[in-house]
Amino acid sequence: MLKKVLLATLFMTQALVAGAADVYPSKPIRFVVPYPPGGPTDAMARLIQGPLQTKFKVPVIIDNRGGAGGNIGTGMVAKSTPDGYTILLAASGPMAVNKTLYKSIPFDPEKDFAPVIQISAFPLVLEVHPSVTVKNVKQFIAMAKEQPDMLSFASAGNGTPQHLAGELFNTAVGTRLQHVPYKGAGPALNDVLGGHVKVMFDILGSSVQYIKTGKLHPIAVTTATRVPSLPDVPTLAESGLTGYNFTGWHGIVAPAATPKPVVMRLNQALNEIFADPAFRKKWEELGTPVVGGTPEAFGALMRTESVKLGKVVKDAGVTVD
């Protein structure tokens, strides 16, 4: 008798879940961005917002909840009702770095979220102010070793992709480039443009306009292959740093226990949006290729990157500001 009751309960639960997915969404979706308005993460959310509203025929409301390196907004989504009506634009910091960088965070990246889809893989570029006369990686390394006080590198803050790319470089080469953290990528880039700091490992989309006008000089890109917007700029790997591969990435997640059919409906809608040629063109103008794919693939990336980036943080002795 108990077995029959359990089976009946299971079938009823499955039917309710399927039914929920059939009518999802039937009310506004809150799209949380764990950073302030105006940055690259916010720009991605706002580019997705319109097409997602059109596809789902419900409002998609952007909710910027910045603070603590993305931990505040990310933690809020972790505690939200797992019904698909609160989703998060997940960045590599909160999802793969912060559990090692901070003494404690208000969520578990692996246990508290259901991956939906990867949406970005930002190349970074090692760039210098034109006053630095080096032209390639070999010359850059030589200067860094011979004049260690000459070169310091700017970043958007401790534990950000710009910072960790530089620390990974230090580890790979044996240099000790001095890290100069800023409160955001914009102020950091402004000081590099002004020559106050000479070096930056910046997200390509932010710097490419200055590279093309000669205000910054690119030395190498951090990805495994060259990027289409800078075809003549080599990778660090082909410049002698075998195996060096670093990207900044983002995705979308929902709270853990969000019904699988709802997750898959979100995934399908977003993959369809990314398949549209007009949208793809706008997206690539942000400086990242279109990614997409399955929830499982994004979940695997988060686990792999958590190990890789956590090691970089530990090896470099990185702490929060």
Side-chain angles (χ1 to χ4, degrees):
M1 179 66 180
L2 179 59
K3 184 176 180 180
K4 290 182 179 179
V5 171
L6 290 173
L7 286 172
T9 301
L10 176 62
F11 290 143
M12 184 179 295
T13 301
Q14 290 175 334
L16 287 171
V17 168
D22 288 341
V23 299
Y24 174 87
S26 59
K27 61 181 182 180
I29 296 171
R30 181 170 59 160
F31 193 4
V32 176
V33 178
Y35 298 100
T41 308
D42 181 65
M44 286 187 286
R46 294 183 188 279
L47 195 53
I48 291 170
Q49 179 186 28
L52 197 59
Q53 287 182 146
T54 299
K55 186 166 288 290
F56 278 161
K57 296 180 174 59
V58 299
V60 175
I61 301 166
I62 303 241
D63 186 359
N64 294 91
R65 296 296 180 104
N71 290 342
I72 292 175
T74 303
M76 184 183 72
V77 174
K79 297 174 177 61
S80 298
T81 304
D83 56 7
Y85 289 98
T86 300
I87 59 176
L88 173 74
L89 203 151
S92 55
M95 304 308 292
V97 175
N98 289 0
K99 71 175 185 179
T100 307
L101 185 65
Y102 288 79
K103 290 182 179 178
S104 64
I105 57 176
F107 56 89
D108 184 317
E110 292 188 24
K111 295 180 181 179
D112 291 343
F113 299 99
V116 175
I117 191 170
Q118 183 184 357
I119 62 171
S120 83
F122 278 99
L124 278 71
V125 56
L126 167 56
E127 60 197 17
V128 297
H129 186 266
S131 62
V132 179
T133 57
V134 300
K135 300 300 181 185
N136 55 49
V137 172
K138 184 178 179 180
Q139 293 174 359
F140 181 84
I141 293 171
M143 176 177 281
K145 290 184 175 180
E146 293 169 7
Q147 305 176 53
D149 296 330
M150 172 68 179
L151 300 179
S152 56
F153 74 100
S155 86
N158 284 343
T160 59
Q162 295 94 332
H163 178 202
L164 297 185
E167 296 295 356
L168 189 60
F169 181 90
N170 275 335
T171 301
V173 178
T175 51
R176 291 308 308 163
L177 299 176
Q178 184 66 36
H179 173 227
V180 183
Y182 288 78
K183 293 187 180 299
L189 182 58
N190 285 338
D191 264 14
V192 176
L193 288 166
H196 306 296
V197 181
K198 303 296 186 182
V199 181
M200 190 170 181
F201 293 78
D202 194 24
I203 290 174
L204 180 58
S206 300
S207 285
V208 67
Q209 59 180 314
Y210 303 110
I211 290 171
K212 291 188 173 181
T213 56
K215 294 180 179 179
L216 293 172
H217 176 67
I219 301 294
V221 293
T222 64
T223 43
T225 58
R226 296 192 183 197
V227 298
S229 57
L230 295 175
D232 296 328
V233 178
T235 68
L236 283 168
E238 69 180 301
S239 301
L241 278 68
T242 304
Y244 190 107
N245 183 12
F246 190 96
T247 59
W249 50 264
H250 300 80
I252 293 174
V253 299
T258 299
K260 182 70 172 179
V262 171
V263 170
M264 294 310 299
R265 187 167 175 80
L266 280 164
N267 176 270
Q268 179 184 4
L270 289 160
N271 271 314
E272 289 172 356
I273 289 169
F274 281 111
D276 177 67
F279 182 87
R280 292 173 71 92
K281 183 178 179 181
K282 292 179 182 177
W283 190 257
E284 288 167 355
E285 289 172 356
L286 295 175
T288 175
V290 172
V291 184
T294 66
E296 292 76 17
F298 184 38
L301 173 79
M302 289 193 293
R303 291 189 294 273
T304 300
E305 288 284 284
S306 180
V307 173
K308 173 185 172 180
L309 299 180
K311 185 177 186 303
V312 175
V313 170
K314 289 178 180 177
D315 289 349
V318 179
T319 59
V320 292
D321 291 330

